[in-house]
Amino acid sequence: DYDRLWRKKLEGELRMGHLARRFFEKLSDKHIDKIFSFIQKNRKVAKAIEEKFDFDHHSGIISFGMNLFRKII
């Protein structure tokens, strides 16, 4: 049925988006500045972000980013 199909397809993406929102809401402006500064200075990281980015499926980039940002901040 429709409800089961959309949940199977999107539930993981929605869950990951919710986790990311909770993570990023807790960051201070200083932490956010530190993250962007790190990305600007590290071309390999910027390239990895570009390669993992998918507008319709965010979980890959969110997972990558959260793991990376935990190391930075």
Side-chain angles (χ1 to χ4, degrees), residues 33-47:
D33 289 344
K34 193 173 181 180
I35 289 168
F36 279 98
S37 177
F38 178 83
I39 293 168
Q40 285 178 327
K41 293 176 184 175
N42 293 278
R43 185 66 197 139
K44 286 183 181 181
V45 171
K47 183 74 173 163

Side-chain angles (χ1 to χ4, degrees), residues 17-56:
H18 179 73
L19 289 172
R21 180 178 174 157
R22 287 183 23 201
F23 176 81
F24 288 110
E25 282 178 336
K26 294 177 183 179
L27 295 179
S28 68
D29 288 346
K30 182 179 177 182
H31 285 129
I32 293 169
D33 289 344
K34 193 173 181 180
I35 289 168
F36 279 98
S37 177
F38 178 83
I39 293 168
Q40 285 178 327
K41 293 176 184 175
N42 293 278
R43 185 66 197 139
K44 286 183 181 181
V45 171
K47 183 74 173 163
I49 291 170
E50 290 171 10
E51 290 173 358
K52 292 192 177 291
F53 181 77
D54 181 339
F55 187 81
D56 293 325

